[in-house]
Amino acid sequence: MGSVMLFHEAESLSELIARQISEQIIHGELLEGEHIPELRIARELDVSRGSVREALLLLERTHLIHIYPRRGAIVSEMSAQQLQALFDSVGMVLTYLVQCISTHRNSDETTYLQQLQLTLQQQVQQGHSEAFYDAIFQSLLQQPSMIHNLYLMQFYQQLLPSLRRSYCLVLHVSSHELQMSFDLFKWATDAILSQNSPQATLFMQDFCRHLQQLVLDSLTRMKKIELAWAPCARR
């Protein structure tokens, strides 16, 4: 299973290419339904077409693209249904994580959660929404001992690029909404530190639902704008 765009040390060439393409998709430089031209990428990066194909196969595992016979690689769609499935899956991982830490918390995990709260508070004060959500979701991969399940960690690793793509839609979220996200996550981690697993689980689920709704609202607005501009684009 590849380590595309997540663990940057000792990356292969195909992983580096995959990470570059994934960042373009995550930040909206490549849009849903857009074809990814293998030959152009190979020329631009001065790499073989075979390396690009390997990179695209790695990307397909993260659900950022679909590869079709005779059509090649296409940037995957973002829909309300897909967001629901994504956040259901992420919620499952976070619920498991909450239960593990609440039950078997050690001093390193306590320090990590306390430091994470301080980091998140700084990001909220500075209005850095992407860095805020990155600190929550990407940092989990730097704490593999917290999940205690290799298979679930690999599953989460594959979900993360699509998750990042989703919350990059809310980069201009209001300070009130970002504060609400922080409050919900802090309540969850406070409950973890108190070893109150049921309460921590409820707050973490609330945090996921709140973010999901923010993403869905942003996606709905984006789709409406695209529909409004479509007639102009055809002229």
Side-chain angles (χ1 to χ4, degrees), residues 209-221:
R209 279 194 292 267
H210 180 255
L211 176 56
Q212 179 183 347
Q213 190 59 52
L214 290 178
V215 173
L216 184 58
D217 290 344
S218 295
L219 181 65
T220 301
R221 286 194 296 270

Side-chain angles (χ1 to χ4, degrees), residues 1 7 10 23 37 44 56 65 78 80-81 90 123 131 133 151 168 190 194 212 225-226 228:
M1 196 162 292
F7 301 107
E23 289 299 319
E44 289 177 353
L56 294 177
I65 67 170
M78 286 186 72
Q81 184 177 11
V90 171
Q123 301 298 351
Y133 291 114
Y151 301 106
C168 277
D190 282 345
S194 301
Q212 179 183 347
I225 292 172
E226 288 176 356

Side-chain angles (χ1 to χ4, degrees), residues 81-205:
Q81 184 177 11
Q82 288 165 323
L83 285 176
Q84 181 67 56
L86 173 63
F87 278 93
D88 283 349
S89 301
V90 171
M92 178 183 67
V93 175
L94 292 181
T95 297
Y96 177 86
L97 177 65
V98 163
Q99 293 169 351
C100 282
I101 303 176
S102 298
T103 307
H104 306 291
R105 179 171 50 85
N106 59 43
S107 59
D108 289 341
E109 290 166 352
T110 297
T111 301
Y112 162 74
L113 290 174
Q114 291 171 337
Q115 183 57 52
L116 179 58
Q117 287 185 349
L118 293 175
T119 299
L120 294 175
Q121 190 170 34
Q122 292 173 354
Q123 301 298 351
V124 171
Q125 291 170 349
Q126 296 169 7
H128 295 164
S129 58
E130 183 177 6
F132 172 85
Y133 291 114
D134 278 347
I136 293 173
F137 294 112
Q138 292 208 76
S139 63
L140 288 180
L141 291 172
Q142 309 306 319
Q143 307 292 326
S145 62
M146 292 174 65
I147 293 186
H148 307 290
N149 187 317
L150 173 63
Y151 301 106
L152 198 60
M153 174 66 86
Q154 291 176 333
F155 174 62
Y156 178 73
Q157 186 177 357
Q158 289 182 323
L159 289 176
L160 184 56
S162 291
L163 180 60
R164 289 185 61 213
R165 184 187 182 194
S166 74
Y167 64 68
C168 277
L169 290 177
V170 297
L171 294 189
H172 303 294
V173 67
S174 70
S175 57
H176 169 75
E177 296 292 2
L178 191 58
Q179 181 66 48
M180 177 58 72
S181 288
F182 171 73
D183 289 342
L184 290 169
F185 190 81
K186 184 177 184 301
W187 294 338
T189 51
D190 282 345
I192 292 172
L193 294 171
S194 301
Q195 294 186 298
N196 188 336
S197 180
Q199 189 175 58
T201 298
L202 290 174
F203 282 135
M204 192 63 78
Q205 290 171 346

Side-chain angles (χ1 to χ4, degrees), residues 25 36 56-57 59-60 62-67 73-76:
I25 296 172
I36 300 177
L56 294 177
L57 288 172
L59 270 182
E60 190 175 34
T62 69
H63 312 289
L64 289 179
I65 67 170
H66 294 298
I67 300 177
I74 305 294
V75 178
S76 61

